[in-house]
Amino acid sequence: MNPVVLTGVNKSYLLDAIGVPALHGIDLEVRPDRFTVLCGPSGSGKTTLLNLMGCIDRPDSGQIVVAGQAVASLSDDALSDFRARNFGFIFQNFNLIPVLTAFENVEYPLRLAGMAAAHRKQRVLEMLEAVGLGDRANHLPGQLSGGQRQRVAIARALAPAPQLVLADEPTANLDSHTGAAIIALMRRMQREQHLSVVFSSHDPHVLAEADDAVFIQDGAITAIERQENRAAAAS
């Protein structure tokens, strides 16, 4: 089963009482166990599409099915619970809670999910070790570098074992060396944990890592390239 399927999706926003189209006619299937990259310039609709996939926003029309669930039928409360169970989110501004340590930030979604304390501790330590921050568990975000904070954010997103991880340009605020390290880390975690990851970016280094590349321009999908098709074309 594909983790996300969008059919005929349209989305507009109001600007001074005028409807401004953000996405139109979106048909897309995100394949399981793939590193999918949404590619396009700023303003192309990448973030809007990511927000719709993550059930942060609702479309004006069309259907979105996540993990077999047609999400339009869910109430706001049910949608919030569904989002917490099925998604991990990674943002370019990290979105860590500044008064919580790295351990506590990663633990936070597990507390919300009601996981037992002993299991929580084990899972948090496993995830911090996986992202190379086992020795930074008691550090506050302000005591960490940008790359380390993004690693904490990755650990937090993956800790609840989500169906799908959505990353909105998480390397945009990092230098090129740190950004490349974060891309490599996310790619490794995706492969090791057999995750479905959707990563929005206009960075060619991110695009080079894509299993599936979805190109967006002016709110519409202009092309979809699969890794196997690229390999065949290169040969």
Side-chain angles (χ1 to χ4, degrees), residues 37-42 46 169 172 199-207:
V37 177
L38 307 179
C39 314
S42 297
K46 301 189 304 296
E169 302 205 48
F199 198 125
S200 75
S201 182
H202 53 265
D203 184 340
H205 295 97
V206 178
L207 180 59

Side-chain angles (χ1 to χ4, degrees), residues 46-77:
K46 301 189 304 296
T47 296
T48 299
L49 181 53
L50 212 63
N51 287 342
L52 291 175
M53 286 184 184
C55 305
I56 295 173
D57 207 350
R58 294 179 185 267
D60 297 332
S61 59
Q63 185 179 57
I64 300 175
V65 177
V66 179
Q69 170 70 54
V71 296
S73 63
L74 299 177
S75 68
D76 288 345
D77 287 343

Side-chain angles (χ1 to χ4, degrees), residues 46-48 50-51 89-93 150 166-172 198-201:
K46 301 189 304 296
T47 296
T48 299
L50 212 63
N51 287 342
F89 296 93
I90 305 169
F91 305 97
Q92 59 179 280
N93 293 322
Q150 196 58 287
L166 302 176
D168 189 10
E169 302 205 48
T171 62
V198 181
F199 198 125
S200 75
S201 182

Side-chain angles (χ1 to χ4, degrees), residues 24 27-28 66 72 77 98 100 106 115 118 127 137 144 157 163-164 175 180 189-190 207-208 210 219 223 232:
H24 53 92
D27 294 315
L28 177 64
V66 179
D77 287 343
L100 299 184
V106 177
M115 184 181 289
M127 294 311 304
L144 300 172
Q163 293 256 351
L164 180 67
D175 63 80
M189 299 292 284
Q190 182 269 322
L207 180 59

